[in-house]
Amino acid sequence: MEKGGIRIIRTISILVSILCGKIITMNSLVTTLLMSLVFTPLITSAQNFQNLGGGQTSSNITAQVTPEKPLPNQFVTVTVENYSTDINRANISWFLNGKMEKEGVGEKSFLFKTGAPGSVSNILIVIKTTEGETLQHVLNIRPGALDLVWEAQSYTPPFYKGKALYPYQGTVKVVALPNIVNENGEIINSKNLVYTWSVNGGTVASVSGYGKNFIYYNGTIPINSTAISVEASSLDKKYSAGGSISLEPQAPLALFYEDSPIYGLLYNKVLGTSETLKNEEIKIVAIPYFVGVKEREGSGLLYEWRLNSNLVNSVKGLSSLTFKQENDAKGTASVSLQVSNPARMFQFANNDLSITFGQISGINLFPTQ
């Protein structure tokens, strides 16, 4: 302020001299003005310092971003630490895109919200210690989005509108769908990114690499949930995004349906735990769900039917049975089934059905060929 005051006084004295008729050459006037500017201190604010993109980043400062791979328009927490200097007593200032947002003693964390895809959140951390030292740290946070979708390699019947579930010891395909926007507002092609895949925290190098945006995973024993994560980044590592999912294996199912001689297989109605034979005969078809095969027949699945707890060996491996009522006999028949995949010991399902006839002795069993 003192030197700034000197500059003002000198400028005024020059003007006064001119007004008073003193002869001052142009060279001496310019020289005097330049001298007044040179000896005036240049004060650059932290805002200007950041906007220029410069600044020295202290190697002793570490900043942790949570979440590590922020999404667009998501709240993010930045925490700063310095293990060589006690910053709990230091005055810490936080600047976001050139504007001071937070300041105070020991203010080691900062909460902010990221912008739209392709935006950059520029954070400058200025730490002034009690010893008079000034430390600075700069972060450039670019949000990116990445979705993970999975598709189980398991059987579902025709017209099934749901999702094929991931069965015990099953195979699932996981695909990464990144949405990373560069500074020009262009979405980076997913084939031009480098993918790093991890399973249960361990990197899988064999399936990671340039353009490798999917992974096949085979369930193992013991049966547990599986965490799959991936990071997609540009070749220059300037842009990146990450995502993770947890896969929970499911037990397969076996449901009973009626195969009508007129309408065919009635997929629209699942038979309950008990059925009454209303016609002369009924054909029951077992439909497996979520086993690791492509077809319910001819794919190695084993169907073991039991009638009143007795194994029907003659129809082992067939997915349907036909029951026919004879005469006016009355009774109830207990039908049970186990479907299993010999190639995957934990892929099996059971179901039971009680059928009411005229009489138990009046039931004939006709294997469906």
Side-chain angles (χ1 to χ4, degrees):
M1 293 298 295
E2 181 179 353
K3 292 183 178 180
I6 295 174
R7 182 182 65 177
I8 296 174
I9 294 173
R10 288 180 177 176
T11 304
I12 295 175
S13 63
I14 292 171
L15 295 176
V16 171
S17 299
I18 295 174
L19 294 175
C20 294
K22 292 184 178 181
I23 301 175
I24 301 177
T25 65
M26 182 61 66
N27 291 336
S28 61
L29 175 61
V30 173
T31 302
T32 305
L33 291 174
L34 287 176
M35 290 295 293
S36 66
L37 292 175
V38 167
F39 288 98
T40 302
L42 179 62
I43 302 175
T44 304
S45 66
Q47 294 95 320
N48 293 333
F49 169 84
Q50 181 196 9
N51 290 338
L52 291 173
Q56 297 178 350
T57 300
S58 173
S59 59
N60 297 325
I61 297 178
T62 60
Q64 181 178 359
V65 181
T66 306
E68 185 178 355
K69 299 295 180 182
L71 299 173
N73 302 308
Q74 182 182 32
F75 283 100
V76 177
T77 300
V78 181
T79 305
V80 65
E81 289 290 347
N82 189 324
Y83 298 102
S84 62
T85 304
D86 184 9
I87 62 174
N88 292 317
R89 296 176 174 82
N91 186 80
I92 304 176
S93 303
W94 296 85
F95 297 86
L96 175 62
N97 296 329
K99 180 182 178 181
M100 179 185 288
E101 298 289 346
K102 188 177 183 180
E103 182 184 20
V105 176
E107 294 289 352
K108 298 191 296 183
S109 64
F110 175 58
L111 178 67
F112 74 100
K113 188 176 183 180
T114 58
S119 64
V120 180
S121 297
N122 185 275
I123 296 176
L124 172 64
I125 309 169
V126 179
I127 302 174
K128 296 182 179 179
T129 67
T130 54
E131 292 79 12
E133 184 181 11
T134 300
L135 306 175
Q136 297 175 338
H137 192 75
V138 177
L139 292 174
N140 292 315
I141 299 177
R142 295 178 171 87
L146 187 148
D147 295 322
L148 287 176
V149 296
W150 59 269
E151 178 184 14
Q153 312 294 298
S154 62
Y155 178 80
T156 57
F159 312 112
Y160 177 69
K161 296 182 180 181
K163 183 181 181 67
L165 299 183
Y166 164 52
Y168 297 151
Q169 294 180 275
T171 300
V172 62
K173 180 181 181 182
V174 182
V175 181
L177 303 176
N179 182 19
I180 303 177
V181 182
N182 61 23
E183 56 191 5
N184 298 322
E186 302 169 342
I187 298 178
I188 301 177
N189 193 316
S190 60
K191 297 180 180 180
N192 299 331
L193 298 172
V194 178
Y195 297 84
T196 303
W197 290 93
S198 299
V199 176
N200 293 328
T203 301
V204 186
S206 59
V207 297
S208 301
Y210 182 72
K212 295 184 177 182
N213 67 328
F214 66 89
I215 182 177
Y216 282 96
Y217 176 76
N218 296 314
T220 59
I221 301 173
I223 305 300
N224 292 316
S225 61
T226 302
I228 296 181
S229 60
V230 65
E231 178 182 331
S233 59
S234 57
L235 289 175
D236 57 5
K237 297 183 179 181
K238 187 176 181 180
Y239 304 94
S240 64
S244 63
I245 59 171
S246 179
L247 297 176
E248 297 286 346
Q250 306 293 324
L253 298 174
L255 302 180
F256 292 139
Y257 295 85
E258 180 182 356
D259 191 353
S260 170
I262 300 176
Y263 302 106
L265 190 55
L266 303 178
Y267 283 110
N268 62 321
K269 181 183 179 182
V270 179
L271 297 180
T273 56
S274 62
E275 294 289 334
T276 300
L277 187 60
K278 300 177 181 180
N279 300 315
E280 183 179 353
E281 66 179 35
I282 183 173
K283 182 179 179 181
I284 299 176
V285 178
I287 302 295
Y289 284 76
F290 321 130
V291 289
V293 296
K294 294 182 178 180
E295 302 292 339
R296 63 184 176 90
E297 290 186 335
S299 298
L301 292 182
L302 184 63
Y303 297 84
E304 294 184 352
W305 294 87
R306 292 181 181 272
L307 178 63
N308 296 326
S309 301
N310 297 316
L311 180 63
V312 184
N313 293 317
S314 60
V315 294
K316 189 174 182 180
L318 296 177
S319 62
S320 61
L321 289 178
T322 299
F323 296 88
K324 183 177 180 181
Q325 180 171 325
E326 291 186 347
N327 304 323
D328 296 328
K330 297 181 181 180
T332 302
S334 177
V335 180
S336 61
L337 169 71
Q338 182 181 80
V339 182
S340 59
N341 183 1
R344 300 285 188 269
M345 62 180 297
F346 283 96
Q347 289 187 9
F348 64 89
N350 301 289
N351 202 351
D352 299 286
L353 174 63
S354 177
I355 302 178
T356 301
F357 294 88
Q359 181 174 299
I360 188 67
S361 60
I363 300 175
N364 282 342
L365 178 66
F366 296 92
T368 302
Q369 302 296 334

